[in-house]
Amino acid sequence: MTTHAPTSAPRAGSRPAASSGTRRPTSPRPGRKADRGVGERPSAVSTGILLLGAAYCLLPVLWVVVASTKSGGELFSTFTFAPSTHLLDNVGDLNAYRDGLFWRWMLNTAIYAGVGAALSVIVSAMAGYALAKYRFRGKTVVFNLLLAGVLVPGVVLAIPQYLLLAQIGLTNTYWSVLLPSIISPYGIYLARIYAAASVPDEIVEAARTDGASEARTFAAIAVPMMLPGLVTVFLFQFVAIWNNFMLPYIMLGDDKLFPLTVGLSGLLNQGASQPALYTLVITGALLSIIPLVGLFLLLQRFWQVDLAAGGVKA
């Protein structure tokens, strides 16, 4: 007698097995395009706008590079973007102008921008960290005043700053340009935002529990975490001071204290009576760009590290 094994009943809620000859159609996941390559094609309009913006920013730089290779006569008689071979001659003439006064302007600009940006970073880091991690009465008012300070153009404050510094006899000195550059409302705002985002409250509390002082917690823990943001503050402030014209123009009267902006402006005004000085101004403008480009190339790795860290956290 032949016996048949009992078939087990299907479990409740289980799906019936699909037959081997049929295959269920698979529908694409919601939100996923069938052809992913179509969605990744760059827009011609956005690409065109970016190219126009790049041309708008780079064409003046290209003109400076080309014009600095021309002599005084070629500057007004040849095609605008046709280079020549007088760059070294122009650099030599600029070096000989008033016993190398241009390099004194370059040194002054480096002092104003370097020292001013470094002091501004220190003040911005401490103020931003305090606004982000401490609770005190009037904190919201202070932050709102800070935001209001961001909206005030620096040129509006130049005359009041001159009158204040004139009262204590600091005009026509290095301090008259350095002191107003230390406080940067935008730098403090950036430092506050970055301290709130990059320094966890748990780490600060753990350092306090271990007995670390507030100064040690800030210097040994918060500053390394805030470093990419502080580099950004330094670059912004350095470029702002390097390109600043109105403040040193009002504060300084001795041309040996001039930065590049004021010094080259004076040369340009003399060019109306001495056209040969135009080549010196253009060559000086080219040399003044080189330190900024070098600084950006040197410090861009901090931004790359910050972007990579943000990608890991995400």
Side-chain angles (χ1 to χ4, degrees), residues 39-113:
E40 295 177 355
R41 293 178 181 174
S43 172
V45 176
S46 60
T47 302
I49 294 175
L50 289 176
L51 291 176
L52 288 176
Y56 178 80
C57 296
L58 295 179
L59 278 179
V61 179
L62 178 62
W63 181 86
V64 170
V65 174
V66 173
S68 62
T69 64
K70 300 181 179 182
S71 64
E74 295 173 339
L75 189 62
F76 301 99
S77 60
T78 60
F79 177 65
T80 302
F81 293 103
S84 186
T85 59
H86 297 279
L87 176 61
L88 296 180
D89 296 335
N90 294 336
V91 173
D93 293 340
L94 183 63
N95 185 46
Y97 177 74
R98 292 186 58 184
D99 298 327
L101 183 61
F102 171 81
W103 301 110
R104 179 67 180 266
W105 295 342
M106 180 76 79
L107 177 61
N108 293 338
T109 308
I111 293 174
Y112 295 141

Side-chain angles (χ1 to χ4, degrees), residues 105-189:
W105 295 342
M106 180 76 79
L107 177 61
N108 293 338
T109 308
I111 293 174
Y112 295 141
V115 177
L119 294 177
S120 179
V121 166
I122 295 174
V123 174
S124 299
M126 292 189 295
Y129 177 79
L131 289 172
K133 298 301 175 183
Y134 289 98
R135 296 181 180 178
F136 53 89
R137 184 177 299 177
K139 175 180 176 179
T140 303
V141 176
V142 173
F143 187 67
N144 291 335
L145 291 175
L146 181 67
L147 292 178
V150 174
L151 302 177
V152 177
V155 65
V156 176
L157 303 176
I159 298 299
Q161 289 170 347
Y162 172 80
L163 296 177
L164 289 174
L165 293 175
Q167 294 294 326
I168 55 178
L170 289 181
T171 55
N172 201 30
T173 64
Y174 284 104
W175 290 109
S176 62
V177 179
L178 284 174
L179 288 179
S181 304
I182 294 176
I183 304 298
S184 171
Y186 186 61
I188 297 174
Y189 171 75

